[in-house]
Amino acid sequence: MQVPKDKQAFSMGIATCGATFGCMVLPSIVAAIMDRFGWRTAWICLGSCTTLVMCGASSQYAGAAEIEASKRRHGQQQQQQQEKLQQQQHQHQQRESGEAITAPARVPLFRDPLFVIWWLNSLLCLIGFFAPLTLMAYFLGATMNAAPQVSANVYIIIGATGLPMRIGQGWISKKLGSARLMLWFSQFFAGVMVACLGFCSSEIGAYIWAAFYGIAQGPYLALSTVVILDLFGLDLLPIVAGLTYTA
């Protein structure tokens, strides 16, 4: 499905809302199962439900993958034909001007300064993005002796405040002029909120922090794909996105 460039931020926000919605709903459910049956049973239930859902949806994914692969092959063939035609035209112009015919040089991805800067930026940003989510339960327990439900509430607040940001990121990006600028704001304020986490000393403070952190980090994952597409093009999107998320 082709999405117009001015609708890409909005489309990715809607597509990634499921993760945010899950962040709102699942912590309370998992915490309740853990309190009643233990953490092993909670993870078995969660994993079993995920497996059953994915098995039921496998046929749809397979059919969609075949259609997408067919479209991709057709698009690649058209692009190759267009590039070949442009190269022939360029060589023809060089012959007429008497210049030596040279093939266009392609810079390896890891030697491209733009990609190197983007990858290092993603490395630092994703550390800040995942650190609070990974260490939140330990932080609240170690500093405040908070119950597990407090950690679940923090995750719920992060999801609840991040959800409207993902839905509205298309409109905000349009007002700012580009998805790149909104991604920068998201990264900057997420970093500020991570730094502020060290000053939280109460449950209320943790809840307030979670609200602002959710607003800051909400658009990041969805917008990063839009910015990768804008910077590197559709052909390099899968490999650049994969290397970005391995950061």
Side-chain angles (χ1 to χ4, degrees):
M1 182 177 66
Q2 298 293 330
V3 179
K5 188 173 182 179
D6 59 341
K7 300 290 185 182
Q8 289 174 353
F10 174 75
S11 300
M12 287 301 302
I14 297 297
T16 55
C17 279
T20 307
F21 185 75
C23 187
M24 294 168 54
V25 176
L26 287 179
S28 295
I29 297 175
V30 174
I33 298 175
M34 288 175 64
D35 290 340
R36 176 125 187 179
F37 302 104
W39 66 269
R40 294 181 186 275
T41 303
W43 286 115
I44 291 172
C45 292
L46 188 63
S48 300
C49 291
T50 304
T51 303
L52 290 174
V53 170
M54 295 309 298
C55 287
S58 60
S59 61
Q60 297 296 325
Y61 277 100
E66 291 176 1
I67 295 173
E68 187 64 27
S70 177
K71 290 182 178 178
R72 190 180 298 112
R73 285 194 298 268
H74 182 67
Q76 289 176 348
Q77 289 174 356
Q78 288 185 332
Q79 184 175 4
Q80 289 174 358
Q81 291 175 357
Q82 186 176 3
E83 290 177 352
K84 186 176 181 180
L85 180 60
Q86 290 176 349
Q87 186 176 1
Q88 289 175 350
Q89 292 176 346
H90 180 65
Q91 291 177 352
H92 180 69
Q93 292 175 354
Q94 287 182 327
R95 288 192 188 97
E96 291 184 345
S97 62
E99 297 178 2
I101 299 175
T102 56
R106 192 163 189 174
V107 179
L109 196 58
F110 285 99
R111 294 184 182 179
D112 185 353
L114 181 62
F115 171 77
V116 173
I117 293 172
W118 169 260
W119 192 87
L120 292 175
N121 167 76
S122 300
L123 173 65
L124 295 175
C125 184
L126 288 172
I127 289 174
F129 179 86
F130 285 113
L133 301 178
T134 306
L135 302 175
M136 179 57 62
Y138 173 79
F139 171 75
L140 294 176
T143 59
M144 307 175 195
N145 293 322
Q149 185 59 42
V150 175
S151 301
N153 293 338
V154 168
Y155 291 125
I156 291 171
I157 294 172
I158 291 174
T161 54
L163 183 61
M165 290 300 296
R166 291 198 178 189
I167 295 175
Q169 67 184 20
W171 180 81
I172 299 174
S173 298
K174 198 171 184 179
K175 290 296 181 182
L176 291 175
S178 70
R180 299 186 196 183
L181 187 58
M182 186 175 180
L183 182 67
W184 182 88
F185 278 116
S186 175
Q187 290 179 324
F188 177 79
F189 287 114
V192 171
M193 292 313 303
V194 172
C196 291
L197 181 59
F199 297 98
C200 291
S201 57
S202 66
E203 293 181 10
I204 299 299
Y207 293 156
I208 295 173
W209 175 89
F212 284 100
Y213 177 75
I215 293 172
Q217 61 84 32
Y220 175 76
L221 289 180
L223 281 179
S224 60
T225 304
V226 177
V227 173
I228 289 173
L229 179 61
D230 189 25
L231 291 176
F232 301 100
L234 185 60
D235 288 343
L236 293 178
L237 175 61
I239 186 171
V240 174
L243 292 173
T244 296
Y245 296 128
T246 58

